[in-house]
Amino acid sequence: MSIITPELVALDVALGATSGDVIDALSTIVAGAGRTTDAHALAADAHAREAQTSTGMPGGIAIPHCRTAAVTEPTLAFARLSDPVDFGDDDPSDLVFFIAAPIGADTDHLAILSTIARALVREEFVDALRAATSATEVVALIDEAIAPAPAANAAAPASSDQRVLVAVTACPTGIAHTYMAADALVAEAKKRGIRLEVETQGSSGSTALDPAVIAAADAVIFAVDVDVRDRGRFAGKPVVQGPVKRGVEAPGAMIDEALAAAANPDAARVAGTETTTATTDTASEHAGRKLQRWLLTGVSYMIPFVAGGGLLIAIGFGLAGYDINATASDIVASSSLWNLPDGGFWTYIGAVAFVIGAASMGFLVPALAGFIAYAMADRPGIAPGFVVGTIAVMMNAGFLGGIVGGLLAGLVAASLTRIPAPRWLRGLMPVVIIPLLASIAASGAMILFLGGPIAWLMTTLTDWLNSLTGVGIVLLGVILGLMMCFDLGGPVNKVAYSFAVAGLGAASLANQVPLEIMAAVMASGMVPPLGLALASTVLARKQFTPVERENGVAAWLLGASFISEGAIPFAAADPLRVIPASMLGGAVTGALSMAFGVTSQAPHGGVFVLFAVGNILWFLLSIAIGAVITAVAVIGLKRIGRRPSAATVEAAGAADDTEASGVLASGAARA
């Protein structure tokens, strides 16, 4: 099937006033051509991609694109707009290329899509599209553009006095911007007589740069929105880094900066040795942003251990009772399916589930510390981080010890990667010397100086929490609810969540407070997406844009699953109204959950782990009350603050009846 057909082309049409309107209209065109059965799902995926980075380009071009389950074949829809629309660039876009790649698309298909994106860098191709008089002519131009597919890093050998640069380009989806940035950089370098070779780390595959070319390069350019794979190959090279879109819009500026960095001994350089993959020292990233990135990296790698392990522990309790934590190891060691313990089959299975879950949960603090250190120093930081995290557990320093130890291990490892080493020693640095010295320094400091005070702090905090009753425990619920809803999956949210899951291991039949804390945290975290879904899809649809209503459909499922990030699209568009409303609802839910004595043995899962929740009705009621409060608050704040334009209200109202059934069907399909 051809990637584009005349039915997918719209010439000299007005498709709306906003980029969201155009994406919605093009999704409808794709559906009309029989290339998708779910235009709403296609549009929602494209909107989600657009929210990551706007797709407007210089010269009046926009390339909204996504990878989606809503199409089964690579698809390109094209519109030449009579009324240009803002896609996030200084110039409104009149040429819009809507690319949809199926999830799991093979390399050949993705290469076709990337070739089209690269063709847009060529002025003659763009001019021909503007002059085309029919849809058939547009299809022919695009089919012709697919044929050449030149390689971005096919450069001529450098002369002895020619400047040499290397670059890496990468965007979140790896379809369009990755290749456009590569071609823009190569074209600009060619004009200046500079040899530049690019490694495109995109969805259609990546051919690594020749190590000899990297060694000969004067500087490196990273035009990326994601981490550079195997960054350590460029260690020691002067570096210029920016978003991939800058590589498309300002390739000349990036090349000038790279040449200036090559001539400046004080310029930022890729950290580490030739065989490490340490992160780049970027002066533009302030300390607070770095700390946030490090902590969130640690938490993101920790959560799979917690989610799986916590659910298994909950299953173990459910099958074998609370006292299984005292006997599970002995039961597993001395019993089998053919030699069942007292209590029979279910006791044995419960013990097995508990032991596996406890083993997984045992990695909570080491994984947190290890991947904090990894975020700071890359691979050389992993081993020291895991070791100091294990020491923190041994000394009862808890997750606070893991955070402090991980930061310390990462700091030491990152510092060691910057020490110049003779060539004969460089191979040993990342795999032996750095892990050894960083482990000694970080774990030694934890044992000798830090572990005791942190353990005392954790013990004091735990004893205080266990002593709370009445108003005190309700106040704790309020605080946890506010934290969970303050940044919707950010550092504050993750601190509250980590605090809750770290205490699960101390729960017992006589001490239910850790389980109550876990329930309050999970319930509060579910409130923002559910409240905003309620407001945008049921109570006040006209107060929200079509894109927000689409997001609201998805937010029902995300909220029910305890994924607070489902509210982020709303918060990004209107933070001063959405975040306070979310915090208000979350605080009420946290307080009610604590007051009602709701417990949760599971650290994640929302309504899908109700089997592990105590006082289920109160749990659901607390969430429902908080969601309603958030919905009412955000609607009120929107009405008190700014009002949508009459045109927007009229368009939204006209779309309500026609969209309702389709939106609900889209949400059901995604669920």
Side-chain angles (χ1 to χ4, degrees):
M1 184 182 293
S2 175
I3 195 170
I4 186 171
T5 63
E7 292 79 15
L8 292 166
V9 176
L11 298 180
D12 304 321
V13 293
L15 298 183
T18 68
S19 60
D21 295 337
V22 175
I23 289 173
D24 290 340
L26 287 170
S27 298
T28 302
I29 290 173
V30 172
R35 304 297 284 261
T36 180
T37 57
D38 193 342
H40 292 286
L42 173 59
D45 289 337
H47 290 311
R49 169 60 185 87
E50 194 76 17
Q52 291 179 317
T53 308
S54 59
T55 56
M57 297 292 161
I61 300 171
I63 318 174
H65 58 279
C66 63
R67 300 184 73 174
T68 176
V71 298
T72 57
E73 293 288 339
T75 297
L76 170 65
F78 171 77
R80 191 169 66 199
L81 303 179
S82 57
D83 299 322
V85 172
D86 181 12
F87 270 82
D89 192 74
D90 293 337
D91 299 326
S93 301
D94 64 322
L95 299 183
V96 182
F97 299 80
F98 183 35
I99 300 174
I103 293 175
D106 60 35
T107 302
D108 291 340
H109 287 157
L110 293 170
I112 291 173
L113 296 177
S114 63
T115 300
I116 293 171
R118 299 172 106 156
L120 297 178
V121 179
R122 305 201 305 268
E123 293 182 3
E124 64 275 12
F125 176 65
V126 175
D127 291 342
L129 289 172
R130 284 204 168 95
T133 58
S134 68
T136 302
E137 186 177 351
V138 169
V139 171
L141 287 168
I142 292 175
D143 285 342
E144 182 181 354
I146 292 173
N153 57 350
S159 61
S160 59
D161 58 348
Q162 188 179 26
R163 306 302 298 272
V164 179
L165 300 175
V166 292
V168 175
T169 60
C171 67
T173 55
I175 295 174
H177 291 73
T178 297
Y179 302 96
M180 294 181 69
D183 283 358
L185 287 166
V186 169
E188 191 64 32
K190 186 176 180 180
K191 292 179 184 177
R192 299 165 185 244
I194 297 167
R195 180 189 179 190
L196 186 146
E197 296 201 20
V198 184
E199 180 178 315
T200 52
Q201 296 185 353
S203 296
S204 61
S206 174
T207 301
L209 288 165
D210 186 336
V213 174
I214 296 175
D218 298 302
V220 58
I221 296 171
F222 291 150
V224 296
D225 290 333
V226 296
D227 287 340
V228 175
R229 297 196 291 268
D230 202 8
R231 187 191 296 260
R233 296 170 294 157
F234 307 95
K237 293 292 181 183
V239 62
V240 171
Q241 181 162 346
V244 69
K245 198 172 178 184
R246 188 165 186 249
V248 180
E249 297 178 349
M254 296 196 82
I255 290 173
D256 289 340
E257 291 168 14
L259 295 174
N264 180 6
D266 297 323
R269 293 174 182 268
V270 181
T273 66
E274 290 179 0
T275 53
T276 69
T277 53
T279 56
T280 304
D281 296 326
T282 52
S284 60
E285 189 176 36
H286 58 78
R289 179 68 184 88
K290 287 181 180 179
L291 180 61
Q292 175 181 333
R293 176 168 55 81
W294 298 335
L295 294 178
L296 289 182
T297 298
V299 171
S300 67
Y301 280 100
M302 175 198 78
I303 285 177
F305 292 99
V306 173
L311 287 172
L312 284 168
I313 288 175
I315 291 171
F317 281 139
L319 294 176
Y322 273 108
D323 58 352
I324 194 63
N325 62 337
T327 59
S329 297
D330 293 335
I331 290 174
V332 170
S334 61
S335 304
S336 68
L337 288 172
W338 300 271
N339 180 29
L340 294 174
D342 293 340
F345 176 78
W346 293 115
T347 297
Y348 177 65
I349 296 300
V352 170
F354 183 90
V355 166
I356 298 173
S360 180
M361 289 288 287
F363 286 101
L364 187 157
V365 175
L368 175 65
F371 286 105
I372 287 174
Y374 166 74
M376 298 175 68
D378 216 285
R379 294 177 188 175
I382 293 179
F386 267 85
V387 172
V388 75
T390 304
I391 295 296
V393 173
M394 182 188 75
M395 300 193 69
N396 297 316
F399 84 98
L400 287 179
I403 291 174
V404 173
L407 291 171
L408 182 58
L411 177 63
V412 175
S415 299
L416 291 173
T417 62
R418 298 186 179 94
I419 297 176
R423 181 174 294 275
W424 61 268
L425 190 60
R426 291 177 186 176
L428 293 176
M429 288 292 288
V431 295
V432 177
I433 296 174
I434 293 175
L436 173 64
L437 296 180
S439 296
I440 292 172
S443 297
M446 181 63 65
I447 293 173
L448 297 175
F449 307 109
L450 301 174
I454 296 174
W456 173 84
L457 178 62
M458 291 295 294
T459 301
T460 302
L461 180 61
T462 301
D463 292 342
W464 173 69
L465 290 174
N466 291 336
S467 69
L468 288 176
T469 57
V471 175
I473 203 164
V474 172
L475 178 60
L476 176 62
V478 171
I479 295 171
L480 291 173
L482 292 172
M483 293 177 68
M484 287 300 295
C485 301
F486 173 71
D487 53 0
L488 304 173
V492 176
N493 171 286
K494 291 298 188 285
V495 166
Y497 179 73
S498 299
F499 168 69
V501 297
L504 282 178
S508 65
L509 191 59
N511 178 20
Q512 298 282 291
V513 173
L515 302 182
E516 293 176 2
I517 291 173
M518 189 71 254
V521 163
M522 184 154 61
S524 300
M526 295 167 66
V527 163
L530 290 176
L532 290 159
L534 178 65
S536 62
T537 66
V538 178
L539 298 181
R541 290 171 54 84
K542 294 182 181 181
Q543 290 289 325
F544 296 86
T545 67
V547 175
E548 288 175 324
R549 293 199 294 270
E550 286 282 357
N551 289 330
V553 175
W556 282 112
L557 180 59
L558 295 174
S561 305
F562 180 37
I563 300 176
S564 303
E565 289 86 344
I568 287 178
F570 298 92
D574 195 5
L576 296 180
R577 294 173 178 82
V578 170
I579 290 177
S582 297
M583 292 175 67
L584 178 61
V588 171
T589 293
L592 291 175
S593 179
M594 283 294 201
F596 294 148
V598 179
T599 61
S600 175
Q601 300 168 21
H604 212 288
V607 299
F608 300 101
V609 293
L610 290 179
F611 65 87
V613 174
N615 294 324
I616 293 176
L617 292 180
W618 289 119
F619 175 73
L620 296 176
L621 181 61
S622 300
I623 295 169
I625 292 173
V628 170
I629 290 173
T630 292
V632 172
V634 77
I635 292 169
L637 289 172
K638 283 181 177 289
R639 289 175 177 171
I640 292 172
R642 56 175 173 79
R643 296 178 181 272
S645 66
T648 302
V649 172
E650 181 181 353
D656 275 348
D657 294 336
T658 59
E659 285 185 359
S661 59
V663 168
L664 292 175
S666 171
R670 284 195 291 274

